[in-house]
Structure formats: structure tokens, C-alpha cells
Amino acid sequence: MLETSRPFEGHRLKYGRSKEHFLMLQDEIARFLQSNPYQLIGEFHTDAIRQQESYVVRVQARSHPPDHWSLIIGDCLYNLRSGLDHLVRHLSKRHSGTADGPTEFPIFKNRDSFHKMDRSKNPSTPTRWSGLHKIRLIDPTAQTIIEGLQPYYRRDGPIDLHPLWLLHELSNEDKHAALHFTGAVATGPVRVILEGATGRIEASYNSPNVRLFRYGAFEDGAHVMTLGTYRTGLSDGEVQLEGEISFDVAFSQEGPGRGMLMLYTLTDIARTVANVFNALEPYV
């Protein structure tokens, strides 16, 4: 039987496989968005109490992302997570000659949990489920590097949005249920123009959140904006709606990902995993 790779290359093979799934997903998302699955629609609305008329702009979904995307995303995440674990096992065998017992790449958002000791047996022995125990067999310098990469050290944003923590949470979610995502997420500036024989209204706004690149998830019929028309004399039947809005695909607001753009998030996770590989490979 031909040997397909040296043992220490396993993590890189996993990474390459995740990239194949990512490119497949990227291509499918591009085709989906090019099909114009969402459009802006509008209607006049009369406030009987205030006796004012306005024009309400909503999203209309003509199609939805296919369910099988969840499988592609899961495969991508699995290979990234598995690649990290492969690398730690290689490091363990290199340094200690074995990788027996719980040996994997630890991902913690709590420092005390990472360093937790087994007080009942030996105050200097890490508990079986601590981060230190998972990497106990590797080179001490490599242990220090891994500890320094933990999400709980993050200072530039929420710990639960750290790429490694997202990988941990999303891959765990994928083990037990289909990953949830939405297709109608607005990105870039939104610009709406109403024009008729008796007047013109123009409105626009920009994304308030640079990291998430979004305004929020739009379900079919969701409200985008309301334009007051009482000063212009525009009336039902004579206006034309022109809308400039870009849509993308994001993880659901509920659960891991919290509405973040899917491809952006997966790219950030993959980049972080690659950085981990680069930091630890000298010790393999």
C-alpha cells in the first residue's frame, strides 16, 4: 500500500479539504445571489390616528438558500477542527512518543477552566477536562503558545466571537443539529428613491456595524424603511420605487455566529487556524 502522506502532514490535508468545501460553498452562494432571490417592494400606508400617509418598503423573498448548504458548512468546519486536533497529536508523539488519553487542541473562553487543577488528587495535576491536560504531552514551549492563543485573551472584541471559539461552537452545533442561516442580510448602503409626477423622495443609510457588515436578517416581508409622503403629494398608483440594496448569507441570529456573514466568518476561522499551524509546526 502506498503511503499517501507523512504523518505530520495530516493537519494540512485536513485544511486543504476544508478549503475545497469552502470554495464549493462560495460558488453556490454566488449563484444563489445572482439569481436575484430578494427584491424590494413598497406600498402606501395610512395612519388613521395621525391622518398621515407613508410609503413602507419591505423585502420580498422569491427563493431561499438550499438546506444542503448546512452539510457543506459542517464539512468545512469539521476539517478545520480536526486539523487542529491532528496537529496536537503529532506534537504529542513527537515530544512524548505517545498521544494516549484526551489529547486535542483546547479551545477555552475561560482562563480558570483552562488551568483547572485536580485538588482531590494532586494540586499540581490538571483535571482531565482542563486545557492543560489536553496538551500535557507536547513540548512546554508549544504548550505556552497554545495557551496564549486562547479566546479568553481577546481584547479587540467579544470573546464569543473569537474565530477559534466560533469554530468550537459551530462545529459542536453541527454534531447535533443542522446549522441555521439566513439568506436575506443587507450589506452595503441602502438607497431608496420614490418618484412620481408630483414629487420625489430619496432616503439612504449605511451599515452601523463594521464587523458584522449587516443591518440584520430580513425574513420574507420584513420592514426595511418607512418614507413620509405627506409633504410631497405622492399618491398610490403613480410612484416608481427604485431600490439599491445588496444581500448576502449569514448565520442565524440564534446560536453560534449571531448573524455574522457566513463566508466572512469561515474565512476568518480558516485564517486563524492557518496561523495556529504556522506557530506550532516548528515543534513537529
Side-chain angles (χ1 to χ4, degrees):
M1 180 181 295
L2 293 176
E3 186 174 351
T4 58
S5 67
R6 290 178 292 176
F8 63 84
E9 292 178 343
H11 60 290
R12 286 290 179 180
L13 291 175
K14 290 284 187 178
Y15 188 89
R17 187 61 173 165
S18 73
K19 185 175 181 180
E20 291 177 15
H21 291 297
F22 177 85
L23 293 175
M24 182 190 304
L25 179 66
Q26 186 179 47
D27 184 58
E28 292 209 15
I29 289 178
R31 289 202 304 268
F32 173 76
L33 295 175
Q34 287 169 4
S35 71
N36 296 319
Y38 307 102
Q39 64 179 5
L40 296 181
I41 59 173
E43 61 183 1
F44 282 89
H45 175 74
T46 301
D47 188 328
I49 297 177
R50 297 182 179 181
Q51 296 185 342
Q52 293 180 352
E53 191 175 60
S54 58
Y55 193 84
V56 179
V57 181
R58 301 183 183 278
V59 171
Q60 182 180 61
R62 300 191 294 180
S63 61
H64 298 278
D67 293 337
H68 75 266
W69 283 3
S70 180
L71 302 177
I72 303 175
I73 300 166
D75 287 339
C76 181
L77 293 167
Y78 168 79
N79 282 288
L80 290 173
R81 185 67 182 94
S82 179
L84 290 172
D85 293 339
H86 272 234
L87 182 55
V88 169
R89 291 186 68 83
H90 300 331
L91 289 167
S92 298
K93 291 178 179 179
R94 175 72 174 180
H95 183 71
S96 302
T98 181
D100 293 339
T103 302
E104 63 183 70
F105 187 92
I107 301 177
F108 284 71
K109 69 173 184 177
N110 182 280
R111 188 180 186 280
D112 292 339
S113 297
F114 185 95
H115 291 273
K116 190 173 183 179
M117 297 296 172
D118 192 341
R119 306 296 182 187
S120 63
K121 297 182 179 179
N122 187 332
S124 62
T125 301
T127 63
R128 183 177 178 84
W129 307 114
S130 69
L132 288 176
H133 186 77
K134 297 176 188 296
I135 57 175
R136 68 198 181 284
L137 300 175
I138 71 175
D139 184 284
T141 303
Q143 290 187 38
T144 300
I145 292 174
I146 290 177
E147 198 272 339
L149 294 170
Q150 293 304 302
Y152 54 76
Y153 277 115
R154 185 176 191 183
R155 297 294 180 267
D156 62 346
I159 292 176
D160 60 350
L161 294 184
H162 186 286
L164 287 180
W165 187 252
L166 284 172
L167 174 60
H168 172 77
E169 290 285 274
L170 287 168
S171 57
N172 280 345
E173 179 83 3
D174 179 64
K175 293 177 184 177
H176 306 289
L179 292 171
H180 296 291
F181 48 86
T182 181
V185 174
T187 63
V190 178
R191 184 166 175 262
V192 173
I193 299 174
L194 290 181
E195 189 164 14
T198 57
R200 172 187 173 96
I201 301 175
E202 182 174 339
S204 64
Y205 61 94
N206 294 314
S207 174
N209 193 318
V210 175
R211 177 169 177 79
L212 300 189
F213 296 104
R214 64 173 187 83
Y215 302 96
F218 291 112
E219 300 296 335
D220 187 24
H223 174 266
V224 176
M225 64 172 65
T226 298
L227 308 177
T229 63
Y230 59 92
R231 291 182 179 178
T232 65
L234 291 176
S235 60
D236 193 2
E238 70 168 10
V239 302
Q240 290 184 339
L241 169 64
E242 297 180 24
E244 294 181 8
I245 183 171
S246 298
F247 292 105
D248 210 328
V249 179
F251 289 105
S252 171
Q253 290 279 14
E254 294 77 30
R258 286 172 35 183
M260 298 178 68
L261 291 182
M262 186 183 297
L263 293 180
Y264 171 87
T265 302
L266 293 176
T267 298
D268 203 22
I269 291 173
R271 184 184 300 115
T272 301
V273 169
N275 289 338
V276 173
F277 289 171
N278 292 335
L280 294 175
E281 281 178 338
Y283 300 92
V284 175

